[in-house]
Amino acid sequence: MSISFILQQIINGFSLGSMYALIAIGYTLVYGVLRLINFAHGDIMMVGAFMAFIFFKILGLNFYVAVTLSIIVTAIVGILTYVTAYKPLLDKGAPKISLLITAIGISFFLESLFNVIANQYLGGTYQAFYFPKWFSKIIHIDSITIPVLTLIVPIMTILLLLLVLWILYKTKIGIAIRAIAFDINTVKLMGADANKIIAFVFALGSALAAIGGISYAMAYPSIDPYMGMLVGLKAFAAAVVGGIGSVTGAVIGGFILGFAEVAIPGFFPELGGWKDAFAFIFLIFVLLFKPTGIMGIDFERQRF
């Protein structure tokens, strides 16, 4: 087990963890504002990947234009899920279990919708995901091989984390988001439009999920309507490991779980069949010893 092998596993792990982190940020933003686990979020990631495929492969748009449009469409889908499904329940003061069941229903709806689209209009459930070849270009450093995409994704994730933190702490909309997370009723009494602010949170989280979904589809170049189920659950585990409600914690949790998923089978090949279970095993251990997660937040005193 050489140093180059260890470095290779670290690089691959952080690249995968970055994709989980982008999706986990959406979970933690929505939870921070509404105390809601949006279990449809993994399927929002799937929508982003499918829309990029449709715009690029089916409609023939430039790849970067296709990615931009898919992020915008996915953000709109995120807003629609809030406006049409969650907002009516919140306005009626529905219990949290109703919101949770609704989230699961949205998840099944999106999966079924894109299953129909894939089978009737795209030629099959599973589709190869196409993207410019230069993303697959290999950089050789000694005996370490690094695809360009593997370098881009972690850097992009860090930059997007900084952007989200800037929005939350340096902009008016960010101050409003943190105020709603602290006390939504007081914010409403002060005349702020809480619904628009929450819709923005859903749009922001969905846009990040779209970026994560497209990155995942490029790293594992195929898409299907159910791709968001397991990835979404792992991203949720990452958010909880990092400390649900903490944006930075979500990214840290994503990095940790991505590294564990890649490195443990790399170091112990006989455990390769357990690859998908490592995220949840790690989640259980973290919750046993630190129930609030690595950067757990006391929601009575702090937000994000």
Side-chain angles (χ1 to χ4, degrees):
M1 191 178 295
S2 64
I3 295 296
S4 60
F5 177 79
I6 294 173
L7 290 175
Q8 183 77 67
Q9 300 305 314
I10 291 173
I11 292 169
N12 293 340
F14 280 142
S15 180
L16 177 61
S18 299
M19 302 172 201
Y20 292 155
L22 288 171
I23 304 167
I25 291 174
Y27 277 111
T28 211
L29 284 173
V30 172
Y31 182 84
V33 171
L34 295 178
R35 306 297 183 275
L36 166 68
I37 303 298
N38 181 18
F39 278 116
H41 194 63
D43 294 291
I44 295 292
M45 159 247 182
M46 174 272 296
V47 172
F50 258 93
M51 294 311 302
F53 172 83
I54 291 170
F55 285 132
F56 179 57
K57 180 63 178 176
I58 306 301
L59 300 182
L61 299 179
N62 174 274
F63 178 75
Y64 304 103
V65 173
V67 168
T68 302
L69 289 176
S70 67
I71 293 170
I72 294 171
V73 170
T74 308
I76 293 171
V77 171
I79 294 172
L80 289 175
T81 60
Y82 168 67
V83 172
T84 61
Y86 297 128
K87 181 179 177 295
L89 293 175
L90 290 168
D91 289 345
K92 294 178 180 179
K96 296 295 183 183
I97 188 65
S98 299
L99 295 169
L100 180 62
I101 294 170
T102 300
I104 296 172
I106 294 170
S107 175
F108 286 139
F109 169 75
L110 291 174
E111 290 168 6
S112 299
L113 173 64
F114 278 85
N115 188 42
V116 171
I117 291 172
N119 281 290
Q120 292 192 5
Y121 301 103
L122 303 181
T125 301
Y126 294 88
Q127 299 290 329
F129 191 83
Y130 298 89
F131 54 91
K133 291 182 178 179
W134 78 270
F135 283 104
S136 299
K137 183 179 178 181
I138 303 297
I139 299 172
H140 295 277
I141 303 175
D142 194 18
S143 58
I144 302 173
T145 59
I146 309 172
V148 171
L149 180 66
T150 303
L151 282 178
I152 290 175
V153 175
I155 295 171
M156 177 179 64
T157 299
I158 296 298
L159 293 176
L160 289 172
L161 169 63
L162 294 175
L163 175 62
V164 171
L165 291 175
W166 178 78
I167 291 173
L168 288 175
Y169 289 95
K170 298 296 182 180
T171 66
K172 289 184 178 180
I173 187 72
I175 294 171
I177 291 170
R178 290 189 290 124
I180 284 179
F182 190 82
D183 190 339
I184 187 172
N185 292 320
T186 301
V187 171
K188 290 179 178 179
L189 289 172
M190 295 178 68
D193 191 336
N195 288 321
K196 287 184 179 179
I197 298 166
I198 296 171
F200 175 81
V201 170
F202 272 83
L204 179 59
S206 299
L208 293 172
I211 297 171
I214 294 167
S215 301
Y216 191 87
M218 292 170 69
Y220 306 90
S222 68
I223 57 173
D224 69 88
Y226 305 101
M227 64 182 286
M229 290 182 65
L230 184 58
V231 177
L233 286 174
K234 290 178 181 178
F236 169 65
V240 176
V241 166
I244 190 76
S246 168
V247 173
T248 306
V251 174
I252 293 173
F255 282 150
I256 291 173
L257 295 192
F259 175 74
E261 184 175 330
V262 170
I264 294 177
F267 296 144
F268 307 100
E270 64 275 11
L271 297 178
W274 292 81
K275 177 175 67 73
D276 290 331
F278 291 139
F280 307 105
I281 293 172
F282 194 85
L283 170 64
I284 292 169
F285 276 107
V286 169
L287 292 179
L288 283 174
F289 296 101
K290 200 172 190 303
T292 57
I294 294 171
M295 296 188 68
I297 285 180
D298 178 0
F299 277 94
E300 296 303 320
R301 298 183 179 182
Q302 184 183 358
R303 298 295 185 277
F304 301 112

